[in-house]
C-alpha cells in the first residue's frame, strides 16, 4: 500500500497547524468581546454617578472644532490627599488609593457610633497641580507642577453629606473640605489619563481663549484635571478627561 506524507508546518501536519491558528483566533476574539463588554458596562456605570452641579454660562471656540466651557459650579465637598509627586499622572495611583479607601469605609461615621460607613462613589476624580513653571506664552515644558513637587488628588463627596455629618477619615493623609462655589474654564477630550505635556497644552489653549475675551484667571499657579472613568477597564476612546483653570466670572 502506498503511503502519503502530509505537508508539515513548523514540524506539525498542516491540518493541525490550521486548527491551532483557529483556536488562537477564536480565543482572541472572545477575549476582545469580553473586554469590550466589561468596558461598556464600566462606562455606563460611571456615567450614572453623582457629579458636582454646574451651569455652562458661555462657550469659547478653539481651533479644530474644540471649545472651552465657562462653568459656574455650586459648592461641594471633597476628600483630598496630597502626594509628593510633581507629575499628576504618577500621583494619581497613590492619591486614588487613599481617597478610595476613605470612600469605601476607612472612616468613622457620625450616625453609627463611629462605625465605618461605605459611601457612594461619585465622579470625577480631581487632580490639582501647580502651573508656576508654565509661562503663558512659552512652549509646553512637559510639567504641570512647580519645584514643590506636590499634587492634590481628591474624590467628590455625595451631596447627602455636609461638614457636620460627613464621615471622618481614619487616614491622617486624607482631609475633608468644602469647595466653594466658583467659575471654571474647562476643555474636554477622550483618551487615557492625560500626560503632563497634554495638560500643559490644554491649559495654554484655555488661557489664550480667555485672554481674547478679556477674562481674568484667578489662580495662575493652579491647573485642575478631572477624570470621569477608570483608566483600566473603560476603553480609552470612551474615557472623558477635562483640564480646567479657575476664572473670575463676575462679568459673565
Amino acid at each position: 500500500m502506498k503511503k502519503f506524507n502530509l505537508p508539515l508546518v513548523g514540524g506539525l501536519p498542516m491540518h493541525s497547524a490550521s486548527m491551532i491558528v483557529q483556536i488562537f483566533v477564536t480565543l482572541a476574539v472572545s477575549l476582545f468581546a469580553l473586554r469590550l463588554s466589561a468596558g461598556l458596562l464600566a462606562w455606563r456605570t460611571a456615567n450614572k454617578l453623582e457629579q458636582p452641579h454646574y451651569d455652562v454660562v458661555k462657550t469659547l471656540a478653539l481651533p479644530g472644532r474644540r471649545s472651552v466651557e465657562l462653568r459656574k459650579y455650586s459648592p461641594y465637598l471633597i476628600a483630598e490627599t496630597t502626594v509628593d509627586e510633581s507629575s499628576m499622572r504618577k500621583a494619581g495611583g497613590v492619591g486614588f488609593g487613599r481617597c478610595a479607601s476613605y470612600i469605601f469605609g476607612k472612616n468613622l461615621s457620625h450616625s453609627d457610633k463611629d462605625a465605618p460607613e461605605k459611601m457612594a462613589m461619585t465622579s470625577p476624580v480631581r487632580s490639582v497641580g501647580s502651573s508656576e513653571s508654565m509661562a503663558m506664552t512659552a512652549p509646553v515644558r512637559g510639567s504641570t507642577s512647580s519645584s514643590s513637587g506636590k499634587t492634590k488628588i481628591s474624590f467628590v463627596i455625595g451631596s447627602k453629606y455636609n461638614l457636620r455629618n460627613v464621615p471622618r477619615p481614619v487616614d491622617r493623609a486624607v482631609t475633608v473640605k468644602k469647595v466653594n462655589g466658583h467659575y471654571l474654564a474647562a476643555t474636554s477630550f477622550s483618551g487615557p489619563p492625560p500626560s503632563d505635556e497634554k495638560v500643559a497644552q490644554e491649559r495654554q489653549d484655555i488661557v489664550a481663549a480667555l485672554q481674547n475675551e478679556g477674562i481674568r484667571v484667578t489662580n495662575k499657579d493652579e491647573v485642575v484635571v478631572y477624570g470621569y472613568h477608570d483608566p483600566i477597564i473603560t476603553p480609552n476612546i470612551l474615557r472623558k478627561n477635562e483640564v480646567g483653570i479657575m476664572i473670575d466670572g463676575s462679568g459673565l
Side-chain angles (χ1 to χ4, degrees):
M1 181 180 294
K2 187 175 181 181
K3 295 183 179 180
F4 295 92
N5 294 322
L6 294 173
L8 299 180
V9 178
L12 293 174
M14 183 175 291
H15 73 282
S16 297
S18 177
M19 183 178 298
I20 291 174
V21 171
Q22 289 179 0
I23 291 173
F24 275 108
V25 170
T26 301
L27 181 60
V29 171
S30 299
L31 290 176
F32 175 78
L34 181 62
R35 170 73 173 80
L36 183 60
S37 297
L40 288 173
L41 178 60
W43 176 73
R44 292 193 184 103
T45 300
N47 288 344
K48 295 177 181 179
L49 297 179
E50 182 180 358
Q51 301 178 12
H53 174 76
Y54 67 84
D55 295 311
V56 178
V57 296
K58 192 172 183 178
T59 301
L60 308 180
L62 289 177
R65 297 183 179 179
R66 298 162 61 229
S67 63
V68 179
E69 284 189 348
L70 307 186
R71 304 171 179 173
K72 181 181 180 181
Y73 276 85
S74 299
Y76 58 91
L77 299 183
I78 59 172
E80 183 179 78
T81 187
T82 300
V83 181
D84 291 327
E85 172 59 60
S86 61
S87 168
M88 284 187 172
R89 195 168 185 175
K90 292 179 181 178
V94 175
F96 184 95
R98 291 177 188 170
C99 294
S101 295
Y102 165 75
I103 293 292
F104 294 141
K106 197 174 181 180
N107 59 55
L108 300 175
S109 172
H110 279 281
S111 60
D112 192 15
K113 296 181 180 180
D114 288 339
E117 179 177 345
K118 185 176 180 180
M119 305 163 69
M121 280 294 294
T122 58
S123 180
V125 176
R126 303 168 74 254
S127 304
V128 180
S130 173
S131 56
E132 293 175 351
S133 60
M134 294 188 297
M136 290 186 181
T137 58
V140 176
R141 299 183 182 181
S143 175
T144 58
S145 299
S146 68
S147 57
S148 62
K150 296 182 184 296
T151 300
K152 295 178 180 178
I153 307 295
S154 60
F155 278 21
V156 176
I157 295 176
S159 58
K160 64 178 282 189
Y161 296 102
N162 55 52
L163 290 177
R164 294 184 299 275
N165 66 11
V166 67
R168 301 189 304 275
V170 173
D171 186 349
R172 293 184 178 180
V174 177
T175 59
V176 173
K177 62 173 61 177
K178 179 181 178 181
V179 177
N180 293 322
H182 59 277
Y183 287 85
L184 185 81
T187 57
S188 302
F189 52 93
S190 62
S195 65
D196 296 337
E197 291 87 351
K198 175 65 173 176
V199 173
Q201 183 62 67
E202 290 293 317
R203 183 189 182 281
Q204 185 171 298
D205 291 345
I206 294 171
V207 169
L210 294 175
Q211 287 179 331
N212 289 337
E213 295 289 323
I215 299 172
R216 185 174 66 88
V217 177
T218 58
N219 193 339
K220 297 179 180 180
D221 298 333
E222 195 171 82
V223 60
V224 182
V225 176
Y226 292 161
Y228 289 84
H229 303 91
D230 75 279
I232 300 175
I233 301 177
T234 303
N236 285 335
I237 194 173
L238 297 178
R239 290 191 75 259
K240 180 181 177 182
N241 307 290
E242 293 183 334
V243 172
I245 52 180
M246 302 292 184
I247 60 173
D248 178 6
S250 58
L252 297 177

